[in-house]
């Protein structure tokens, strides 16, 4: 029986709606429960839920002391991260918000000291990420949400021309400016009595910019499609995600090319719904794949559907491979739907470029010391049915939902800040996370 009209299935939409009238502790318990039951899944959905919850916490929390504020956010972040350890995007958002609080607190201390010391002098993740020999270390952060384009190495504008033009203007994207706008030096001195209130207002504004960044990341990534997809090319797409769809559609507006679509095995993995339904993971996989193909065909793109077993045979005719990761790790490797590693290795053997489309919120400062901890195992019934009982008694079945793809077989990352080589991601991560917030879980803090 379908649910009554007006009711929401437990998921992201119902959780965001409940935040308006629920107390903080109830909202935290609700999100923890949804994460444990996998009713909210996927990097973007988990990041949005985390950002909205922490924004509500910062608005309503009675503590005015900065130390207590950081401790409260940190404890909530630990609970969310431990509720679903495979969703590293939760920890990414918590770390960025903790960085916002620390940056604003340091700025206020500089003002109270009677001077306008340099902003962003706090300890960033520069010591934990070793730069390649001969390259400068991570630059100091001058914005609350993204690195300064004047000090960060220029983004790669094309896969085949890594050196941009000298007169190219710096990339400006929403969510990369300091909350409140303008230079911090031009800000007036605030009185001591209003310091805590002003700090919370600035942090809440910064969290809102993070939410805006999450909503605009796909469109910003799609803006670079014209530089990487050219006429008459053959593009191999994997997973029917919204990010890949918008990227291809943006290029199809001006270019004529062919897309070979090889979707992953129809197991428990569910990409973000192409219909825009925030309750992801509830749609039938075949319907999602059909919707993905139809949207490209309507735009005039020639789409060829192939089974996964035919990837190696067709790789020699492919111009480039496009992947949408679940998460990107600090060493430049990534976790993607099962089968992505085999596809990337086939592309490497045929010297076919592999392009990864990833928002900055998917970049994690965690290193893959144990790859197995990032791989989620699905239900074996997706591989072998229960009707084969005699066969199941003789074997153990593991159905991994994700693969770990090493950085050495990835050619280019395209984020909402531009295109970057895998070896450069450490600088973006260092500019977005502080060193003291890297170890977020309770086990790491003890």
């Amino acid at each position: 029986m379908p649910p009554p009209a007006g009711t929401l299935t437990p998921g992201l939409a119902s959780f965001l709606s409940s935040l308006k009238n629920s107390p903080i502790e109830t909202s935290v318990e609700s999100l923890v429960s949804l994460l444990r039951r996998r009713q909210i899944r996927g990097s973007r959905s988990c990041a949005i839920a985390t950002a909205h919850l922490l924004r509500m916490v910062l608005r309503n929390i009675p503590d005015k002391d900065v130390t207590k504020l950081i401790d409260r956010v940190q404890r909530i972040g630990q609970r969310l991260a431990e509720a679903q350890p495979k969703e590293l995007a939760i920890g990414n958002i918590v770390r960025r918000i903790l960085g916002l609080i620390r940056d604003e607190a340091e700025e206020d201390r500089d003002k109270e000291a009677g001077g306008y010391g340099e902003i962003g002098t706090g300890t960033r993740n520069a010591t934990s990420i070793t730069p390649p020999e001969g390259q400068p270390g991570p630059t100091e952060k001058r914005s609350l949400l993204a690195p300064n384009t004047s000090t960060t190495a220029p983004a790669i504008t094309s896969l085949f021309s890594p050196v941009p033009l000298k007169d190219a203007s710096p990339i400006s994207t929403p969510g990369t400016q300091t909350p409140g706008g303008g230079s911090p030096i031009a800000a007036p001195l605030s009185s001591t009595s209003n310091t805590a209130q002003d700090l919370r207002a600035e942090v809440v504004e910064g969290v809102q910019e993070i939410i805006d960044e999450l909503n605009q990341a796909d469109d910003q990534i799609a803006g670079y499609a014209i530089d990487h997809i050219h006429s008459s090319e053959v593009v191999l797409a994997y997973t029917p995600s919204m990010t890949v769809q918008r990227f291809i559609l943006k290029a199809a507006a001006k270019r004529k090319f062919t897309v070979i679509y090889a979707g992953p095995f129809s197991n428990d993995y569910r990409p973000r719904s192409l219909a825009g339904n925030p309750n992801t993971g509830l749609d039938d996989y075949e319907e999602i794949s059909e919707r993905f193909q139809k949207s490209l065909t309507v735009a005039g793109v020639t789409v060829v559907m192939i089974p996964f077993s035919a990837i190696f045979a067709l790789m020699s005719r492919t111009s480039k491979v496009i992947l949408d990761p679940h998460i990107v790790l600090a060493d430049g490797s990534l976790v993607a739907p099962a089968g992505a590693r085999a596809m990337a290795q086939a592309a490497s053997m045929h010297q076919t470029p592999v392009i990864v489309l990833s928002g900055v919120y998917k970049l994690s400062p965690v290193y893959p010391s144990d790859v197995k901890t990032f791989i989620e195992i699905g239900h074996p019934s997706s591989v072998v049915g229960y009707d084969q009982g005699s066969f199941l008694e003789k074997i153990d079945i593991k159905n991994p939902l994700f693969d770990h793809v090493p950085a050495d077989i990835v050619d280019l990352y395209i984020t909402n800040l531009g295109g970057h080589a895998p070896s450069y991601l450490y600088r973006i991560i260092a500019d977005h996370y502080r060193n003291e917030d890297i170890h977020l879980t309770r086990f790491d803090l003890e």
Side-chain angles (χ1 to χ4, degrees), residues 229-233 254-257:
I229 297 181
H230 308 283
S231 299
S232 303
E233 285 190 337
K254 296 184 178 180
R255 306 279 167 80
K256 294 293 183 181
F257 54 92

Side-chain angles (χ1 to χ4, degrees), residues 167-181:
D167 58 347
S169 59
I171 298 173
S172 177
T173 57
T176 60
Q177 300 298 324
T178 303

Side-chain angles (χ1 to χ4, degrees), residues 375-436:
I375 306 302
E376 183 177 355
I377 303 299
H379 201 280
S381 63
S382 300
V383 181
V384 178
Y386 287 111
D387 54 340
Q388 303 181 15
S390 58
F391 178 69
L392 294 175
E393 294 177 355
K394 303 177 183 178
I395 61 173
D396 292 330
I397 301 175
K398 291 185 178 180
N399 178 26
L401 304 184
F402 297 100
D403 271 346
H404 176 258
V405 182
D408 56 354
I409 55 179
V410 176
D411 296 274
L412 182 68
Y413 280 94
I414 300 180
T415 70
N416 43 304
L417 300 179
H420 309 280
S423 59
Y424 181 74
L425 292 182
Y426 79 96
R427 296 192 65 178
I428 301 178
I429 293 174
D431 283 333
H432 282 78
Y433 305 108
R434 296 179 64 106
N435 204 31
E436 52 265 49

Side-chain angles (χ1 to χ4, degrees), residues 40-215:
I40 295 181
R41 64 189 307 171
S43 297
R44 183 177 179 273
S45 297
C46 292
I48 290 177
T50 304
H52 278 84
L53 175 63
L54 294 181
R55 183 183 62 176
M56 185 197 73
V57 171
L58 292 170
R59 283 177 174 175
N60 302 318
I61 191 171
D63 297 328
K64 294 184 178 180
D65 183 70
V66 174
T67 304
K68 293 182 179 179
L69 190 64
I70 292 176
D71 182 70
R72 184 67 179 275
V73 173
Q74 198 171 51
R75 289 180 180 274
I76 294 176
Q78 289 174 2
R79 293 177 60 185
L80 299 179
E82 292 172 358
Q84 192 47 250
K86 299 295 190 295
E87 297 290 356
L88 299 184
I90 298 173
N92 296 346
I93 298 300
V94 175
R95 293 183 183 97
R96 291 182 65 176
I97 294 176
L98 288 172
L100 290 177
I101 301 174
R102 298 182 194 276
D103 286 344
E104 286 297 328
E106 291 174 358
E107 181 179 347
D108 289 342
R109 283 197 296 266
D110 290 340
K111 291 179 180 179
E112 292 175 2
Y116 295 94
E118 289 188 8
I119 309 303
T121 56
T123 304
R124 286 281 162 188
N125 188 22
T127 58
S128 62
I129 301 178
T130 305
E133 184 177 356
Q135 291 189 9
T139 57
E140 290 185 346
K141 184 184 175 193
R142 295 183 179 272
S143 171
L144 291 181
L145 298 181
N148 188 354
T149 54
S150 62
T151 59
T152 304
I156 299 176
T157 58
S158 175
L159 180 64
F160 302 103
S161 60
V163 181
L165 298 176
K166 293 182 179 181
D167 58 347
S169 59
I171 298 173
S172 177
T173 57
T176 60
Q177 300 298 324
T178 303
S183 172
I185 297 180
L189 285 173
S190 57
S191 62
T192 305
S193 60
N194 295 329
T195 298
Q197 189 67 25
D198 293 342
L199 182 144
R200 288 169 56 180
E202 287 292 332
V203 173
V204 169
E205 186 177 352
V207 175
Q208 181 59 49
E209 290 192 7
I210 293 178
I211 295 175
D212 294 339
E213 175 190 324
L214 294 173
N215 294 328

Side-chain angles (χ1 to χ4, degrees), residues 238-284:
Y238 194 59
T239 71
S241 69
M242 182 69 73
T243 305
V244 174
Q245 182 198 45
R246 292 184 179 178
F247 189 81
I248 294 176
L249 290 178
K250 188 70 174 182
K254 296 184 178 180
R255 306 279 167 80
K256 294 293 183 181
F257 54 92
T258 302
V259 173
I260 298 178
Y261 169 59
F265 184 76
S266 180
N267 52 21
D268 290 341
Y269 171 76
R270 297 290 190 273
R272 183 153 57 98
S273 173
L274 298 176
N277 179 12
N279 292 311
T280 61
L282 302 178
D283 295 319
D284 183 75

